[in-house]
Amino acid sequence: YRLALDVDSAGRRGRLRETVRLPAYSRASLGVSSLILAPGDSVADRETTLAAMPADLAYPAGQALSAYAEVYGVSPAGEGRARYRVRYTFRPAESLLRRLLGGANPVVFEFTRDAPWRIVLPERIVIAPGRLPPGRYRVTLSVTDIPSNVKSETVALDVTVR
């Protein structure tokens, strides 16, 4: 990849051009890309979903929310199929006092997927309006490869639904 960075700070300009080598995801181990969340009731490809993701990670309550990620390294199950379990967890962000007194339970969406095996499997869901109450959440996606019982999880996103 070629990194191109142009910076303008109070009239001072800087420029960086550099070649960057990114490691490939291993086909031998399970991995999950970053999770992308966007308002809307349809999930397109990665770039379209990423373009719709708000910079402040604030989403309107009462509107559908779409999620997109890519899963790498799922073991091929019989007959060229991939079998894996996905779990989207929206854990309420609470104060220390609220957690000590027994905070709210997370909102969880969990599915078992059975799809034609590929090196990269797109993972998509649409959360219907009203299924996620207003609040601040720490969101993760975990994927478990069923044949090998190996688990991988995304880095958490802190989002607000209002």
Side-chain angles (χ1 to χ4, degrees), residues 36-143:
I36 304 170
L37 298 174
D41 60 1
S42 65
V43 181
D45 62 11
R46 180 185 183 281
E47 295 304 319
T48 304
T49 307
L50 187 59
M53 186 173 181
D56 63 356
L57 300 179
Y59 301 88
Q63 188 177 14
L65 181 66
S66 60
Y68 180 92
E70 293 173 346
V71 180
Y72 307 90
V74 173
S75 302
E79 300 178 12
R81 307 292 295 173
R83 295 203 64 233
Y84 57 100
R85 187 174 310 104
V86 296
R87 180 181 175 100
Y88 295 84
T89 303
F90 290 77
R91 186 168 310 285
E94 301 171 330
S95 68
L96 176 61
L97 179 62
R98 177 88 170 136
R99 283 193 306 263
L100 291 173
L101 295 174
N105 292 328
V107 178
V108 175
F109 302 96
E110 188 168 9
F111 310 95
T112 297
R113 304 289 196 202
D114 185 333
W117 181 87
R118 296 190 318 198
I119 293 171
V120 178
L121 294 163
E123 172 50 37
R124 304 172 175 134
I125 66 165
V126 173
I127 300 168
R131 298 289 308 267
L132 193 59
R136 291 184 43 225
Y137 297 93
R138 176 155 282 189
V139 185
T140 56
L141 166 62
S142 64
V143 176

Side-chain angles (χ1 to χ4, degrees), residues 2-62:
R2 184 83 177 139
L3 172 65
L5 181 65
D6 295 315
V7 178
D8 184 342
S9 178
R12 296 188 60 174
R13 295 181 185 181
R15 172 174 276 190
L16 173 69
R17 299 291 187 264
E18 189 172 309
T19 299
V20 178
R21 182 170 286 260
L22 300 177
Y25 279 98
S26 170
R27 294 181 188 174
S29 62
L30 184 65
V32 184
S33 71
S34 298
L35 180 62
I36 304 170
L37 298 174
D41 60 1
S42 65
V43 181
D45 62 11
R46 180 185 183 281
E47 295 304 319
T48 304
T49 307
L50 187 59
M53 186 173 181
D56 63 356
L57 300 179
Y59 301 88

